[in-house]
């Protein structure tokens, strides 16, 4: 079936450190891939997305590249800030017209000043 | 735009009681989703509606759970009777129709069943 596996957390970094959160997926066909972020006490918000192989999604300094050969969509940021502390979810949509999203288990990120 | 509105934000109830969670989607959005988030199981899709019609309820855990969408601006998720294992954060999300649109999440309802 379709599934998403994320790097287990929690992840703790110092401010200005480099961030990578790994995400791999299993899917038939050509899924779209997403990263959502959940700040404390809030719902999930779309952070970035990619809809086909080799696409790079980017937003707020975060980037992720859709790698079909390794079935991965790792999230990266060059210099994290305290305000990036949140839970990050990788997700896939099975195909362009599908409405259901399949989420990974989430990775809690804490940035210390 | 007010975003997706959920009420209540917190609910504490005793085992066996009926619980009703409410959601108002973003105006103009034709699709509505109910999710449950727990530490053990992560984020699970319970049910979703298109144009007020339930499309997929395969994620609803058991008959104690029911969801309705009587009109385009309101949906409810009911648990009757509630059990301690139902304790979780319940999210509602909405999107325009069609699979290529982003889902917008509400702030969630934290349910505690004692």
């Amino acid at each position: 079936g379709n599934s998403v596996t994320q790097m287990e957390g929690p992840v703790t970094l110092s401010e200005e450190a480099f961030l990578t959160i790994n995400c791999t997926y299993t899917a038939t066909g050509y899924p779209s891939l997403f990263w959502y972020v959940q700040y404390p006490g809030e719902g999930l918000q779309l952070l970035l997305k990619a809809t086909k192989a080799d696409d790079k999604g980017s937003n707020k300094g975060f980037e992720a590249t859709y790698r079909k050969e390794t079935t991965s969509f790792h999230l990266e940021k060059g210099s994290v800030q305290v305000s990036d502390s949140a839970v990050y979810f990788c997700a896939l949509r099975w195909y362009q017209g599908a409405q259901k999203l399949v989420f990974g288990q989430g990775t809690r990120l804490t940035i210390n000043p | 735009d007010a975003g997706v509105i959920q009420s209540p934000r917190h609910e504490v109830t005793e085992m066996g009681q009926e619980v009703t969670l409410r959601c108002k989607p973003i105006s103009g959005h034709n699709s509505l989703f109910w999710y449950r988030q727990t530490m053990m199981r992560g984020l699970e899709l319970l049910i979703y509606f298109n144009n007020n019609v339930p499309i997929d309820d395969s994620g609803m855990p058991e008959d104690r759970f029911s969801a309705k969408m009587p009109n385009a601006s309101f949906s409810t998720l009911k648990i009757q009777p509630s059990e301690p294992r139902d304790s979780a954060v319940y999210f509602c999300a909405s999107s325009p129709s069609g699979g290529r649109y982003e889902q917008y999440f509400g702030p969630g309802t934290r349910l505690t069943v004692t």
Side-chain angles (χ1 to χ4, degrees), chain B residues 5 8 13-14 22 24 27 29-30 37 40 42 76 99 113-114:
Chain B
I5 298 173
T13 191
E14 291 184 348
R22 296 172 176 80
K24 177 178 170 55
S27 177
H29 284 190
N30 297 328
Q37 184 180 37
M40 291 297 295
T76 59
V113 183
T114 61

Side-chain angles (χ1 to χ4, degrees), chain A residues 7 13 21 25 29 32 39 44 58 61 70 79-80 106 113:
Chain A
M7 163 179 181
L13 297 171
I21 300 178
Y25 67 90
S32 297
Y39 298 105
L44 281 70
S58 61
T70 55
S79 176
V80 292

Side-chain angles (χ1 to χ4, degrees), chain B residues 2 5-6 22 27 29 37 55 68 82 88 96 98 102-103 106:
Chain B
I5 298 173
Q6 290 186 247
R22 296 172 176 80
S27 177
H29 284 190
Q37 184 180 37
I55 301 300
K68 294 183 179 179
S82 59
E102 168 184 355
Q103 292 183 19

Side-chain angles (χ1 to χ4, degrees), chain A residues 38 41 43 46 93 98-100, chain B residues 31 37 50 56 91 99 101 103:
Chain A
Q38 183 181 25
L46 180 65
R93 171 179 286 145
Q99 291 201 266
K100 290 173 66 169
Chain B
S31 298
Q37 184 180 37
N50 272 355
D56 184 346
F91 289 102
Y101 296 106
Q103 292 183 19

Side-chain angles (χ1 to χ4, degrees), chain A residues 34 36 38 41-46 49 87 89 93 95-101 103-105 108, chain B residues 9 31 33 35 37 43 45 48 50 56 58 91 95-103 105-107:
Chain A
F34 305 83
Y36 277 79
Q38 183 181 25
E42 299 183 12
L44 281 70
Q45 305 172 24
L46 180 65
K49 66 180 180 182
V87 180
F89 292 88
R93 171 179 286 145
Y95 59 95
Q96 283 284 12
Q99 291 201 266
K100 290 173 66 169
L101 293 173
F103 285 90
Q105 69 270 37
R108 181 175 298 277
Chain B
R9 291 295 308 275
S31 298
F33 307 79
Y35 292 88
Q37 184 180 37
L43 195 63
L45 176 65
Y48 78 93
N50 272 355
D56 184 346
S58 59
F91 289 102
S95 75
S97 287
R100 62 185 185 277
Y101 296 106
E102 168 184 355
Q103 292 183 19
F105 282 74

